[in-house]
Amino acid sequence: MKHGIARLLATTTIAAATLFAAALPLHARMQAAPERPLRVPAWTLELERRLEAVDAAYAGDIGVYVRHLGRDESFSYRAEEPWYLASGVKVPIAIAVMRAIERGELALDTRVTLRESDFVDGAGGTNAYRAGTRLRVSWLLEQMIVHSDNTASDVLIRTVGIEQVNRVAAELGRVDGMHITTLADVRRLAYGQLHPSASGLRSQDLFALQRAGAGQARVRRLVQLLAITPADLLRPDLDSAFEAYYATHANSASLVEFGRMLAALSEGRALGAEGTTYLLDVMSRVQTGSRRIRAGLPAGTRFEHKTGTQHRRTCDLGIATVPALAPGRPPARVVIAACARGTATAAGERALRDVGAAVTASGVFMEAPSRPTVSPPDPMR
């Protein structure tokens, strides 16, 4: 087994002592002979088995957090570790913007002036406009969430303040010391692992680096832009530079923490009713990540989510809603937060698609059984 046993968190039927026991390796739990068995929902056991197979087939690592909101049952597979979120940070940015609207400091039709310093490479329509253009907050939110527009993100961060974004993350995810930056600073911090003078890169420099291509071609372009020599570089290549950047844990959190934020949003604890409905509707129309988690979900599933993509990092983080199987029953709403690391995007997307299929096959979207499933023995009892 490549990475060992996943950790289970089944909050409905497990007391505090058994939560500790669930973190033990499966073989350790099976060797003990307790007086009472640990009982957990059947879907968590099935999901663990399937994710181990996905993980074994993937060249990198996966982390997965799943939480059934109606039954308050949850499951963690390496989800307590810090994971680089990439554009997943655009969810707390959006919540911070919607809170400013609720306080009356902004409105959806407020126009914000685009500045030369706002431009960042990446997808979306904002870069088609010139500096000085006044763009509506509603349009910028759409670009940021639906198309993962980095320039729109940085305009909105500047509008509400980065401290407000970090405050949202700390409050809703209960994250200690989470450090979200602008999307331009993501680039400066990553390239800064190659040379400290990258902290002064301008918007036009970021575009020049993007146009240079990947790998060593980009490193050579950086050397030119910074007017240094290859011998001045602190690291030999882009891979090592980005890994060093990820190790700083900027723009990172555990998937458990991010899952808490998604649950708070879904349950109306992050925003008022109108703001919740608006933001979840925008997240349901995301155009990126069609080959990730939602490719493995049941037909007809509504997936309110945000994708994240960076060098050898791929994420998909959202809330899946599956219609009820019987009349009069509520739909199943399930938080699914997953990331893959260590490979190019295409392989990461395949892994996340397989995660979605594993979640579907686990039975989490089905009606709860009349009795909990008996798991391996609990050595704490």
Side-chain angles (χ1 to χ4, degrees):
M1 190 176 302
K2 186 174 72 167
H3 296 291
I5 301 299
R7 297 176 64 189
L8 293 177
L9 299 173
T11 57
T12 300
T13 58
I14 304 177
T18 62
L19 277 175
F20 175 79
L24 296 175
L26 181 58
H27 64 82
R29 286 182 261 152
M30 295 181 71
Q31 289 172 357
E35 296 178 3
R36 289 196 299 167
L38 170 67
R39 297 186 298 176
V40 298
W43 67 267
T44 62
L45 303 176
E46 180 63 16
L47 182 56
E48 178 180 38
R49 183 182 70 81
R50 290 179 177 274
L51 288 180
E52 285 171 352
V54 173
D55 203 8
Y58 178 57
D61 297 318
I62 61 168
V64 182
Y65 178 71
V66 179
R67 178 174 173 181
H68 190 294
L69 295 176
R71 300 195 297 263
D72 198 23
E73 301 165 349
S74 61
F75 174 90
S76 168
Y77 190 94
R78 207 181 290 114
E80 294 87 0
E81 300 175 15
W83 287 85
Y84 185 73
L85 301 170
S87 289
V89 300
K90 291 169 183 175
V91 174
I93 295 170
I95 293 172
V97 171
M98 295 304 299
R99 284 185 170 185
I101 291 171
E102 290 180 343
R103 292 192 299 266
E105 298 166 4
L106 292 173
L108 286 171
D109 60 359
T110 297
R111 290 185 178 268
V112 181
T113 301
L114 185 60
R115 296 179 183 174
E116 192 67 47
S117 58
D118 291 325
F119 289 97
V120 191
D121 58 289
T126 313
N127 288 340
Y129 291 91
R130 295 176 180 271
T133 305
R134 293 174 58 78
L135 301 170
R136 286 189 178 88
V137 166
S138 59
W139 188 85
L140 291 166
L141 278 167
E142 291 260 342
Q143 292 299 307
M144 177 177 72
I145 297 295
V146 176
H147 303 288
S148 208
D149 187 317
N150 293 330
T151 300
S153 304
D154 277 8
V155 174
L156 291 172
I157 289 173
R158 172 169 59 80
T159 302
V160 299
I162 193 65
E163 66 283 351
Q164 293 295 331
V165 176
N166 278 289
R167 187 170 293 131
V168 165
E171 173 197 337
L172 300 180
R174 302 202 294 276
V175 184
D176 291 330
M178 184 173 180
H179 177 50
I180 297 175
T181 71
T182 67
L183 280 295
D185 278 346
V186 166
R187 278 94 173 126
R188 296 184 184 109
L189 290 168
Y191 296 136
Q193 299 297 326
L194 289 166
H195 196 274
S197 59
S199 61
L201 289 170
R202 301 164 298 173
S203 292
Q204 56 264 44
D205 298 327
L206 301 180
F207 285 103
L209 288 167
Q210 181 193 38
R211 290 192 297 268
Q216 289 306 105
R218 186 168 298 187
V219 175
R220 289 192 293 271
R221 187 71 179 103
L222 180 67
V223 166
Q224 295 172 349
L225 289 170
L226 300 181
I228 59 176
T229 70
D232 296 322
L233 294 173
L234 302 177
R235 290 177 174 81
D237 52 38
L238 208 59
D239 285 355
S240 60
F242 269 88
E243 290 302 327
Y245 163 62
Y246 297 142
T248 69
H249 295 160
N251 298 298
S252 300
S254 78
L255 297 178
V256 175
E257 292 163 338
F258 200 92
R260 288 191 194 118
M261 187 187 314
L262 291 173
L265 175 61
S266 176
E267 295 170 345
R269 294 181 283 110
L271 298 167
E274 188 174 345
T276 298
T277 300
Y278 181 87
L279 182 51
L280 289 176
D281 177 68
V282 175
M283 291 172 65
S284 74
R285 293 185 279 110
V286 163
Q287 296 297 301
T288 56
S290 61
R291 291 176 290 186
R292 301 186 189 185
I293 286 175
R294 65 183 177 189
L297 296 178
T301 300
R302 176 183 169 96
F303 195 34
E304 301 146 342
H305 68 129
K306 183 70 197 77
T307 58
T309 309
Q310 191 74 45
H311 187 76
R312 298 172 66 83
R313 296 293 188 273
T314 312
C315 293
D316 205 356
L317 314 136
I319 307 126
T321 303
V322 174
L325 298 177
R329 291 285 194 175
R333 286 185 64 74
V334 175
V335 167
I336 310 172
C339 290
R341 64 189 176 207
T343 68
T345 302
E349 288 192 324
R350 287 192 295 272
L352 294 180
R353 175 202 62 197
D354 292 344
V355 166
V359 171
T360 298
S362 74
V364 66
F365 295 116
M366 307 294 287
E367 296 288 345
S370 58
R371 291 183 302 171
T373 295
V374 177
S375 82
D378 173 14
M380 296 296 293
R381 292 185 179 277

